[in-house]
Amino acid sequence: SQLAEENLWALSVHEGESVTVNCSYKTSITALQWYRQKSGEGPAQLILIRSNEREKRNGRLRATLDTSSQSSSLSITATRCEDTAVYFCATGTQVVGQLTFGRGTRLQVYA
Amino acid sequence: GGIITQTPKFLIGQEGQKLTLKCQQNFNHDTMYWYRQDSGKGLRLIYYSITENDLQKGDLSEGYDASREKKSSFSLTVTSAQKNEMAVFLCASSPEGGNQAPLFGEGTRLSVL
């Protein structure tokens, strides 16, 4: 099974609503990253949260990290149609190249 | 700003063919990666390279070769394309240390007839 995994396959919300995507992981990590991938594009990093941090914000995005439960969440407030994308979490260790991606959660934001 | 350029954007091959995908980055990053993305699955690491002429196998290296000809370029070869194979191949790069968040190209979409 995946070493990093988003908990939901897909979800949909109406524009303006808030939404949270969750991720669980199975290894000791140095950092966790959230990526967004829009159709036809490569993944784009949204937030990097290090293992000694509990929360990180970037505009309408808020990421949390709970190393005791090995879980993370990404919340988006006041969603917009352009937030429609697949959201991935990825975990990293000290070892170069050891970045593990989850399968992704597909978010659809409706007008 | 920098950019990661993958060529070609779309690639249609035939079963058994040897296919080469190219990636260029102008961030002056040390580490480069090739990932494979299949529908409904997470990205899986094929090869990565921490410097020019270096090559490290990822989880999915069987059936592929790679070459880091110079710091800015990293190519991937599918040694024998599999019939009905369909995937997106993503190139990425990151600064020295490799545990920084990699930046991704837009991908090469492969279809094998």
Side-chain angles (χ1 to χ4, degrees), chain A residues 19-93:
Chain A
V19 67
T20 297
V21 180
N22 295 299
C23 165
S24 55
Y25 60 90
K26 297 181 180 180
T27 60
S28 176
I29 63 170
T30 55
L32 184 143
Q33 292 134 42
W34 282 96
Y35 284 84
R36 174 175 64 195
Q37 185 177 24
K38 296 188 176 184
S39 180
E41 299 180 6
Q45 190 210 6
L46 299 175
I47 292 181
L48 183 152
I49 183 166
R50 301 197 185 280
S51 58
N52 60 352
E53 297 175 312
R54 292 295 167 260
E55 179 181 299
K56 200 87 169 274
R57 291 177 185 267
N58 179 8
R60 294 182 295 113
L61 307 176
R62 173 178 170 262
T64 65
L65 180 65
D66 185 340
T67 51
S68 61
S69 63
Q70 296 189 313
S71 64
S72 175
S73 70
L74 176 72
S75 298
I76 309 173
T77 56
T79 54
R80 304 168 183 165
C81 289
E82 54 261 39
D83 293 328
T84 294
V86 179
Y87 290 81
F88 293 95
C89 66
T91 53
T93 69

Side-chain angles (χ1 to χ4, degrees), chain B residues 46-59:
Chain B
I46 306 172
Y47 271 101
Y48 67 99
S49 166
I50 60 174
T51 189
E52 184 179 333
N53 294 320
D54 175 71
L55 203 57
Q56 308 284 340
K57 290 184 178 181
D59 298 325

